Amino acid sequence: MDYFPPEKYYEACVTYHIVRYYEENFDERIFPFSISQIQEKREGYDFGYLKNPEQVFYIQYKRPDFSGLSYDGYVWRVDIEQLETIIRRHIGHCTYYAFPGFCHISEWYQGLEKTWFLSADDLFTQLRLRKKLVQKSVVVRAKNWRLKSFEAYFSRKPSYDNVMVCESCPDGSLQAMPEFMDGAFWGYAVQKR
């Protein structure tokens, strides 16, 4: 079978693995839900994942742009208007773009491991800093963006991945290293649940 799967294939594959990830790693159930294309236009995401009544996160899936495949990896096209909808609704902190890095149904069982993620807030910030928000869409390349694994976002281990430049102090606190402070944009550390 030689064809490029539709976006729905990636939604099903990755959702299956997210449900299993929570069952196997946290002994928890997570409840995925999808919305219609009309609702997607208004809300900005494809799927939601309910962990409990107070915790939900959303994913906007992006099928690989097979016309843009190149020797240096996968590319995906992000619609700026859709991203701005997510930001305007104030759900960018709990909405993630999923960028699958596979193109054959035989890779189903590695679907989550072969998919990169990027929070909508982080994507918006990167686009703003690159002055690309005025475009209709932008091409995301695996090599040029700070894409992360699902586990990097959803592990319960303490993570300080969003600190661009830091140094660990003896008391356990973090600080920016002075040699990198000349006008650089850097994030703050948060401990993930």
Side-chain angles (χ1 to χ4, degrees):
M1 183 177 245
D2 199 21
Y3 78 102
F4 298 124
E7 189 174 287
K8 295 256 181 249
Y9 172 81
Y10 295 107
E11 293 170 358
C13 176
V14 175
T15 295
Y16 167 80
H17 289 291
I18 289 172
V19 169
R20 293 207 35 154
Y21 178 86
Y22 273 89
E23 287 175 345
E24 292 171 1
N25 291 290
F26 307 126
D27 198 25
E28 288 180 17
R29 286 190 171 176
I30 190 164
F31 301 93
F33 59 92
S34 64
I35 59 176
S36 71
Q37 288 184 328
I38 293 168
Q39 290 171 307
E40 181 186 350
K41 182 99 171 129
R42 189 175 59 241
E43 304 292 325
Y45 63 88
D46 289 312
F47 260 78
Y49 300 85
L50 183 67
K51 292 164 60 173
N52 61 51
E54 294 86 39
Q55 288 185 298
V56 65
F57 65 92
Y58 309 99
I59 295 182
Q60 174 52 246
Y61 287 90
K62 290 297 164 194
R63 176 182 182 260
D65 182 352
F66 297 109
S67 65
L69 272 178
S70 62
Y71 67 92
D72 64 347
Y74 285 88
V75 299
W76 306 269
R77 189 164 302 278
V78 172
D79 180 90
I80 299 297
E81 185 179 334
Q82 187 177 59
L83 173 60
E84 288 175 335
T85 297
I86 293 167
I87 300 303
R88 217 177 15 260
R89 293 199 57 250
H90 305 288
I91 59 170
H93 66 285
C94 60
T95 302
Y96 302 86
Y97 278 82
F99 301 110
F102 60 101
C103 61
H104 197 271
I105 61 171
S106 65
E107 297 173 285
W108 171 276
Y109 292 98
Q110 295 87 37
L112 193 58
E113 292 85 19
K114 290 187 174 191
T115 299
W116 292 281
F117 293 84
L118 186 60
S119 78
D121 277 351
D122 194 17
L123 178 59
F124 186 80
T125 299
Q126 288 187 52
L127 290 172
R128 184 176 48 81
L129 293 173
R130 295 175 189 204
K131 298 181 179 6
K132 294 189 178 233
L133 289 174
V134 296
Q135 300 173 197
K136 184 172 175 58
S137 66
V138 66
V139 172
V140 173
R141 295 182 184 283
K143 281 181 70 168
N144 303 340
W145 296 80
R146 292 184 299 140
L147 306 179
K148 300 178 183 180
S149 68
F150 184 80
E151 187 173 24
Y153 278 113
F154 295 95
S155 170
R156 291 214 176 131
K157 298 175 209 158
S159 173
Y160 302 100
D161 288 343
N162 63 337
V163 177
M164 289 186 180
V165 181
C166 69
E167 177 176 88
S168 185
C169 299
D171 66 356
S173 65
L174 297 173
Q175 68 181 28
M177 296 170 64
E179 61 266 29
F180 296 105
M181 287 301 294
D182 57 344
F185 171 83
W186 60 286
Y188 56 90
V190 292
Q191 186 171 358
K192 299 197 180 185
R193 293 180 284 234

